[in-house]
């Protein structure tokens, strides 16, 4: 794709950066911008954009890393299913290395046939048909991922595949933004909004940011020029004291998003209020199976206990997700907690703030 | 986990499936989440699915805007 190369071209990036520098120079205080999406956390650092920004522009990683906001109790329940040999766990690779509360992760069972990694939920139908045991898929992710999983489970229901179950821990972005906006003594000046979640929900979904007391939000793509330009648009609004939602990724994101994908989500799932690591229970912040699809629900089929949040001793992942602390403030960071031997989820996921800070620098 | 990449559709197989070009390789993708996909379209690909189509006209316009900034 030629756009990709051009959007990383230094000749394209330099003039945008220059405007960012000029504007930042006119603002005396620190400007704190939260990148909501974990994929932005990685892309900003991998491309080096974070190190090019003026000193007073601070990037804060938000709650958009699905692995990081999934409570440990969820993983404990999944591990128990494997340990008791009650089901095969199928999961995206991101969840494999996350330690449960006893320090053991699903990766321990890779190669035994009891834990299977999938690249696409479409692999699940064949996997279930070929399995003599129940297969439980770990349903984590935000709106980008949810429709892909929902589509497959609607099909499983239609084809009456009796041994495929979904263990939902899906999260949605807007209720989390509401929580972040409502924190007293808010320390955020603007949101860099997630490009691919927005492809599904559309820019109209962010109207809460435009209410009195809101902050500016700009939807960004993932190439260096995309992200830097979105930061420039945010600074322009912050400078003028505005709080509008702008779309800096119009080649992919529309005002009303992808209604077809949302319809598929809504056919299978309904809003739920479940715990997020760091943020606690967010009203309607989760998606769970509708009652009519109870048959697919791993919580029902295996009578899974309600999940509790649990932070490993010394781990500050919860505060990092809220943007209240930086990974470098953690006494475990880079010492006892590394990507090879992660203590907490912000280090496990390559999209976690701690892993990204360690790999690419602050 | 929201990593998604643009791919070009080479051939529509049926209502759900298409062949897409990824570099020098080809792969089958699910197209059931997008409206009226056609051969030659670029789509944003995530977890086995096209989750949205990529608007080439908007992409060109954005690039033009950035190029104008280089001459300002």
């Amino acid at each position: 794709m030629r756009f990709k190369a051009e959007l990383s071209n230094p000749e394209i990036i330099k003039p945008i950066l220059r405007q960012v520098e000029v504007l930042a120079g006119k603002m005396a205080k620190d400007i704190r911008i939260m990148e909501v999406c974990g994929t932005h956390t990685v892309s900003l650092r991998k491309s080096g954009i974070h190190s090019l920004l003026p000193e007073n522009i601070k990037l804060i990683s938000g709650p958009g890393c699905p692995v990081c906001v999934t409570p440990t109790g969820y993983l404990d329940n999944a591990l128990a299913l494997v340990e008791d040999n009650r089901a095969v766990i199928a999961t995206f690779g991101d969840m494999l290395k996350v330690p449960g509360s006893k320090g053991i992760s699903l990766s321990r069972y890779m190669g035994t046939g009891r834990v299977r990694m999938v690249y696409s939920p479409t692999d699940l139908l064949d996997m279930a048909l070929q399995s003599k045991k129940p297969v439980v898929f770990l349903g984590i992710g935000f709106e980008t991922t949810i429709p892909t999983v929902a589509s497959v489970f609607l099909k499983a229901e239609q084809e009456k595949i009796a041994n495929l179950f979904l263990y939902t821990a899906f999260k949605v972005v807007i209720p989390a933004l509401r929580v972040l906006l409502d924190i007293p003594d808010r320390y955020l000046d603007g949101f860099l909004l997630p490009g691919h979640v927005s492809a599904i929900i559309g820019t109209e979904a962010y109207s809460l940011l435009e209410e009195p007391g809101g902050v500016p939000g700009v939807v960004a793509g993932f190439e260096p020029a995309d992200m830097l330009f979105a930061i420039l648009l945010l600074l322009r609004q912050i400078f003028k004291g505005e709080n509008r939602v702008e779309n800096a990724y119009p080649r992919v994101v529309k005002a009303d998003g992808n209604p077809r994908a949302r319809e598929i989500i809504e056919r299978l799932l309904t809003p739920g209020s479940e715990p997020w690591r760091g943020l606690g229970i967010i009203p309607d912040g989760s998606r769970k199976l509708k009652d009519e699809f109870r048959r697919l629900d791993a919580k029902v089929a295996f009578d899974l206990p309600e999940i509790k949040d649990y932070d490993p001793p010394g781990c500050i992942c919860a505060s990092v997700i809220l943007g209240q602390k930086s990974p470098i403030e953690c006494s475990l960071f880079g010492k006892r907690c590394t990507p090879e031997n992660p203590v907490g989820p912000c280090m496990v996921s390559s999209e976690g703030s701690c892993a990204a800070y360690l790999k690419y620098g602050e | 986990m929201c990593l998604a990449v643009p791919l070009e559709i080479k051939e529509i197989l049926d209502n759900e499936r298409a062949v897409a070009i990824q570099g020098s390789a080809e792969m089958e993708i699910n197209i059931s989440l997008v409206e009226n996909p056609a051969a030659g379209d670029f789509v944003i690909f995530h977890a086995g699915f096209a989750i949205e189509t990529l608007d080439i006209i908007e992409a060109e316009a954005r690039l033009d805007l950035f190029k104008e900034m280089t001459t300002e």
Side-chain angles (χ1 to χ4, degrees):
Chain A
M1 212 49 236
R2 76 182 179 84
F3 296 118
K4 195 176 166 64
E6 297 214 49
L7 294 172
S8 320
N9 180 348
E11 295 309 311
I12 295 283
I13 290 166
K14 266 185 224 158
I16 308 174
L17 182 61
R18 206 173 305 126
Q19 291 200 24
V20 166
E21 287 165 347
V22 169
L23 207 45
K26 291 181 187 167
M27 294 190 269
K29 60 166 194 149
D30 280 355
I31 302 297
R32 296 166 66 92
I33 294 172
M34 177 177 274
E35 84 267 3
V36 175
C37 166
T39 307
H40 273 145
T41 297
V42 172
S43 305
L44 283 161
R45 286 163 183 80
K46 204 170 174 178
S47 62
I49 296 287
H50 73 305
S51 60
L52 296 174
L53 292 175
E55 191 75 359
N56 62 331
I57 308 299
K58 309 284 185 199
L59 294 174
I60 309 163
S61 305
C65 158
V67 172
C68 307
V69 295
T70 302
T72 309
Y74 174 84
L75 205 75
D76 284 343
N77 283 347
L79 277 162
L81 286 177
V82 179
E83 283 161 1
D84 302 343
N85 223 345
R86 296 172 72 197
V88 171
I89 293 288
T91 176
F92 291 122
D94 311 59
M95 283 298 275
L96 286 172
K97 276 173 61 189
V98 190
S101 55
K102 292 178 205 150
I104 295 165
S105 67
L106 288 167
S107 61
R108 167 184 280 210
Y109 297 95
M110 281 297 279
T112 64
R114 289 153 75 175
V115 172
R116 305 277 303 271
M117 188 176 97
V118 298
Y119 291 100
S120 167
T122 52
D123 301 339
L124 292 170
L125 298 175
D126 279 346
M127 191 184 288
L129 286 172
Q130 286 161 20
S131 173
K132 292 191 183 80
K133 289 171 86 179
V135 175
V136 172
F137 181 65
L138 302 185
I140 67 158
F142 283 88
E143 287 95 331
T144 315
T145 311
I146 301 173
T148 71
V149 180
S151 161
V152 167
F153 275 85
L154 286 169
K155 195 158 189 184
E157 172 71 1
Q158 201 181 17
E159 296 185 1
K160 305 210 177 333
I161 299 177
N163 66 331
L164 182 60
F165 300 91
L166 180 59
Y167 185 19
T168 53
F170 295 123
K171 303 282 188 277
V172 291
V173 165
I174 300 295
L177 293 186
R178 169 62 72 195
V179 170
L180 290 166
L181 273 180
D182 288 348
I183 292 175
D185 302 323
R186 199 172 58 215
Y187 36 78
L188 292 172
D189 298 293
F191 286 115
L192 195 72
L193 297 170
H196 293 140
V197 162
S198 304
I200 306 298
I201 68 175
T203 53
E204 286 166 357
Y206 297 104
S207 57
L208 78 163
L209 300 182
E210 298 189 334
E211 290 166 11
V215 295
V218 178
V219 175
F222 297 87
E223 301 303 333
D226 287 327
M227 295 185 290
L228 199 54
F229 187 67
I231 290 170
L232 175 62
L233 294 183
L234 275 172
L235 292 181
R236 283 179 184 162
Q237 285 200 50
I238 294 165
F239 186 67
K240 291 187 203 154
E242 297 173 340
N243 58 318
R244 289 178 295 111
V245 174
E246 288 183 274
N247 183 1
Y249 195 28
R251 66 183 183 276
V252 172
V253 175
K254 302 183 189 83
D256 70 339
N258 181 341
R260 178 189 286 249
R262 286 202 306 277
E263 197 264 322
I264 288 186
I265 297 175
E266 284 157 19
R267 221 185 291 164
L268 187 78
L269 304 168
T270 186
S273 304
E274 288 162 3
W276 295 47
R277 181 193 298 273
L279 297 163
I281 288 179
I282 298 184
D284 293 342
S286 318
R287 289 293 177 270
K288 58 180 188 179
L289 283 157
K290 285 181 174 174
D291 276 345
E292 63 194 272
F293 295 107
R294 274 172 68 88
R295 195 203 61 71
L296 298 169
D297 195 341
K299 290 176 202 165
V300 177
F302 298 96
D303 196 21
L304 298 176
E306 287 291 312
I307 49 178
K308 294 185 191 74
D309 200 1
Y310 158 89
D311 274 327
C315 173
I316 61 164
C317 189
S319 312
V320 169
I321 289 166
L322 285 170
Q324 290 168 329
K325 283 188 181 159
S326 161
I328 52 169
E329 293 176 60
C330 180
S331 60
L332 307 177
F333 178 74
K335 298 184 187 110
R336 219 156 61 67
C337 185
T338 61
E340 293 71 35
N341 285 300
V343 174
C346 294
M347 187 64 87
V348 176
S349 171
S350 60
E351 293 189 344
S353 325
C354 297
Y357 273 58
L358 198 63
K359 190 163 178 192
Y360 304 111
E362 274 178 66
Chain B
M1 254 191 86
C2 286
L3 198 61
V5 294
L7 295 181
E8 185 180 356
I9 294 180
K10 186 187 172 197
E11 187 190 352
I12 304 289
L13 298 175
D14 57 35
N15 283 342
E16 282 190 3
R17 298 172 310 135
V19 176
I21 304 164
Q22 187 181 40
S24 55
E26 291 181 0
M27 63 192 299
E28 196 178 294
I29 66 171
N30 188 302
I31 48 168
S32 62
L33 298 177
V34 291
E35 203 86 40
N36 303 321
D41 283 355
F42 281 86
V43 290
I44 298 296
F45 176 73
H46 171 78
F49 285 75
I51 57 162
E52 187 52 287
T53 44
L54 189 145
D55 187 332
I56 295 289
I57 296 168
E58 284 286 2
E60 296 276 7
R62 178 60 37 143
L63 209 51
D64 288 345
L65 172 82
F66 289 155
K67 284 180 178 161
E68 276 169 33
M69 287 175 74
T70 64
T71 56
E72 272 171 22

